[in-house]
Amino acid sequence: MTDIRQVVHELLAQLGSSREARQYLKEFSSTNQARFAMVKVGGGILLDHLDELTSALAFLHRLGLIPVVLHGAGPQLDQALAEAGIETQRHDGLRVTTEAVMSVARPLMYKENLRLVEALENRGIRARSIQHGVFQCAFLDRDRFGLVGEVEKVDLDAVESAVRGGAVPVLTCLGESPSGQVLNINADIATRELVWKLRPHKVIFLSPTGGLLDRQGRIISAVSLTNDYQALMQQPWVHSGMRLKLQQINEMLQNLPDDTSVSITSAAQLTRELFTYRGAGTLVRKGEAITVQRSPDSETLAGVIRLVEQSFGRTLRNDWFEQLVKPLVLSSESGRAAAIITHGIDGLPYLDKFIVTPEAQGEGLGAAVWQVVRARFPSLYWRSRNTNPITPWYFQQADSSNRCGQWVVFTLGIDDALQRERCMADALAHDSGWVAK
Ligand code: ARG
């Protein structure tokens, strides 16, 4: 007990915010122990980032969280085959596994697996090497691919037994045919099949880039499949590797409960990704639909009022909503993000309220609502207090900003300078609808 308290302490000290860390620790600990997370580790990570990896996994273990680990060994295999002078072919992106390839691949997989298990144990963490008995396979197409398996059944006995014993299960991407022939399984397919069977709360992909990258090479913080998938897949800068990854994640999540999420991050950032709202990497979720209502039903309205009051810590007047001029209410399904747009000066849309809980921000829900706002309203103006934590973000979104005392007034898509001034005056005179303090 003292030990876990000490580790939690360390965690909080590392991350700065104890509230966030505690919330996620509670969330992750409340799932069935074997279903906290599945971590897919690319072979490259075992080569170049073994230390960061084992340190992050050991940390989770000490918090009482046992991730199920599946690793590949792609780069190692490429190198070993090249050294052995064995040519490899690929069809449809899958490695053709001849007997010669398998004779190199199998011992290599075992070796990499043991290297990870030993590195974990050297940190005082129990780990169990699971090299067989999980993936029952048929030959995918023996003539075309050789010893490549198509997963027919996933058996979790070995995984669950390891977790019950307090050991981190470490799996390879090898399976067997019913007669015991060892078959090679593509790592992404093995991941998908394991995830569908295990149904973990989180699926984590560790990659050296630490996330999916946007056009400028920056990490995309969150992707909502509901809101972003179609548009992302159409972007010319989404290269084939990322396209494939997104497609696979989309397919994977469609068969899982709505609160399952995928995080793509690096070994070094894993703890931060898991225990903060903002994370450090790319979070992919099915996401929530954003509804747009002219006259919101009473339930939606009550939810929005609660959200506004809670996040500002103030009370709205009873007649607040009725007093708004032609309000349009946007809200996310879970009620954790909302925006209200009214008719302002010159009939221009005025963003009266925009509220997102901190946790939902990390999931990209604020950005999702914002996208819907932007798509509907090419021009817009609003105000925000200097001290509001969202103000710096508004500076990035707006194309004009004007400070006045405690307020900043922002406009978007309003080109006429005089009109911008009228917007500014109007925004500053605006009544927020609070009950007087
Ligand atoms: N800690 C939370 C989780 O792991 C949220 C992470 C948010 N991450 C992000 N890249 N936006 O589920």
Side-chain angles (χ1 to χ4, degrees):
M1 194 64 214
T2 19
D3 182 45
I4 177 119
R5 244 183 245 150
Q6 155 111 32
V7 189
V8 172
H9 222 83
E10 245 176 76
L11 167 69
L12 304 182
Q14 258 187 47
L15 299 174
S17 163
S18 66
R19 189 162 147 243
E20 296 171 40
R22 274 179 214 285
Q23 177 183 329
Y24 286 114
L25 185 56
K26 199 165 140 213
E27 176 182 324
F28 299 149
S29 313
S30 68
T31 59
N32 166 320
Q33 210 180 11
R35 291 183 170 69
F36 147 57
M38 193 243 135
V39 183
K40 153 78 200 303
V41 180
I45 301 265
L46 295 180
L47 275 183
D48 302 327
H49 303 280
L50 189 62
D51 240 26
E52 287 110 310
L53 171 67
T54 51
S55 150
L57 296 179
F59 192 64
L60 290 175
H61 187 278
R62 284 159 63 213
L63 285 168
L65 300 170
I66 303 188
V68 176
V69 178
L70 176 80
H71 69 85
Q76 290 91 324
L77 184 55
D78 288 336
Q79 198 190 335
L81 289 171
E83 278 165 14
I86 300 172
E87 288 232 1
T88 44
Q89 282 184 345
R90 283 175 188 271
H91 291 319
D92 311 329
L94 293 179
R95 193 192 293 275
V96 176
T97 307
T98 57
E99 302 216 338
V101 171
M102 185 56 101
S103 72
V104 176
R106 195 164 67 114
L108 191 123
M109 279 287 209
Y110 295 164
K111 199 173 105 202
E112 289 301 304
N113 184 276
L114 287 176
R115 221 155 63 82
L116 176 52
V117 168
E118 268 175 33
L120 284 168
E121 291 194 322
N122 285 340
R123 288 186 182 263
I125 296 307
R126 297 198 57 198
R128 194 176 294 175
S129 160
I130 301 179
Q131 303 180 341
H132 293 288
V134 176
F135 300 105
Q136 297 177 30
C137 297
F139 283 87
L140 176 61
D141 176 343
R142 193 165 191 169
D143 295 337
R144 202 161 139 77
F145 295 105
L147 302 173
V148 170
E150 179 174 43
V151 180
E152 297 213 300
K153 192 161 171 265
V154 177
D155 187 341
L156 291 179
D157 284 354
V159 171
E160 283 167 347
S161 145
V163 174
R164 265 199 309 278
V168 175
V170 182
L171 283 70
T172 63
C173 299
L174 292 175
E176 303 89 42
S177 72
S179 67
Q181 168 67 52
V182 175
L183 297 171
N184 191 10
I185 312 168
N186 169 278
D188 293 312
I189 294 174
T191 304
R192 183 188 73 192
E193 296 295 328
L194 182 62
V195 163
W196 278 346
K197 181 77 186 197
L198 185 66
R199 301 171 79 75
H201 183 57
K202 291 226 48 131
V203 181
I204 298 160
F205 289 93
L206 296 182
S207 80
T209 50
L212 297 179
L213 304 180
D214 70 9
R215 189 188 337 213
Q216 277 95 27
R218 289 172 312 204
I219 291 176
I220 301 173
S221 170
V223 174
S224 149
L225 294 174
T226 309
N227 301 297
D228 309 329
Y229 183 70
Q230 296 300 343
L232 265 177
M233 294 301 271
Q234 275 158 24
Q235 298 299 322
W237 49 269
V238 175
H239 59 79
S240 61
M242 176 164 160
R243 200 172 292 272
L244 190 65
K245 183 113 260 166
L246 274 168
Q247 261 164 4
Q248 286 167 345
I249 293 174
N250 185 39
E251 188 193 359
M252 183 156 85
L253 283 179
Q254 294 316 324
N255 288 311
L256 293 168
D258 287 350
D259 63 354
T260 310
S261 65
V262 172
S263 281
I264 307 165
T265 185
S266 64
Q269 296 291 345
L270 178 58
T271 310
R272 183 162 294 280
E273 170 65 11
L274 287 175
F275 294 100
T276 63
Y277 292 145
R278 297 186 55 179
T282 304
L283 182 79
V284 188
R285 293 175 61 108
K286 256 191 241 172
E288 301 178 17
I290 311 297
T291 58
V292 183
Q293 290 176 286
R294 189 49 81 191
S295 351
D297 53 79
S298 58
E299 201 185 320
T300 307
L301 185 58
V304 169
I305 291 176
R306 214 176 318 124
L307 181 66
V308 173
E309 293 188 332
Q310 273 171 8
S311 62
F312 285 94
R314 298 186 67 171
T315 312
L316 289 164
R317 290 193 305 269
N318 285 334
D319 66 348
W320 164 68
F321 192 74
E322 287 147 42
Q323 300 290 310
L324 299 176
V325 186
K326 299 197 193 158
L328 191 72
V329 176
L330 284 76
S331 58
S332 81
E333 263 169 275
S334 65
R336 294 176 302 157
I340 296 175
I341 288 133
T342 62
H343 265 226
I345 197 100
D346 301 345
L348 283 168
Y350 176 70
L351 178 68
D352 193 285
K353 298 270 184 284
F354 180 56
I355 333 94
V356 190
T357 67
E359 184 198 330
Q361 267 168 45
E363 290 171 24
L365 215 50
V369 172
W370 187 253
Q371 255 178 41
V372 178
V373 171
R374 292 295 294 125
R376 290 217 164 204
F377 302 103
S379 45
L380 190 69
Y381 70 105
W382 69 100
R383 73 175 188 187
S384 176
R385 269 181 214 276
N386 277 327
T387 48
N388 191 328
I390 197 176
T391 301
W393 186 79
Y394 284 150
F395 274 105
Q396 291 168 13
Q397 309 306 319
D399 50 34
S400 101
S401 61
N402 239 307
R403 289 177 191 273
C404 185
Q406 59 172 338
W407 296 108
V408 187
V409 177
F410 298 96
T411 71
L412 237 176
I414 302 174
D415 298 331
D416 185 272
L418 287 174
Q419 192 169 42
R420 276 204 304 272
E421 273 178 33
R422 283 199 298 281
C423 288
M424 171 141 166
D426 180 67
L428 289 172
H430 204 81
D431 166 22
S432 299
W434 306 121
V435 167
K437 268 196 196 159

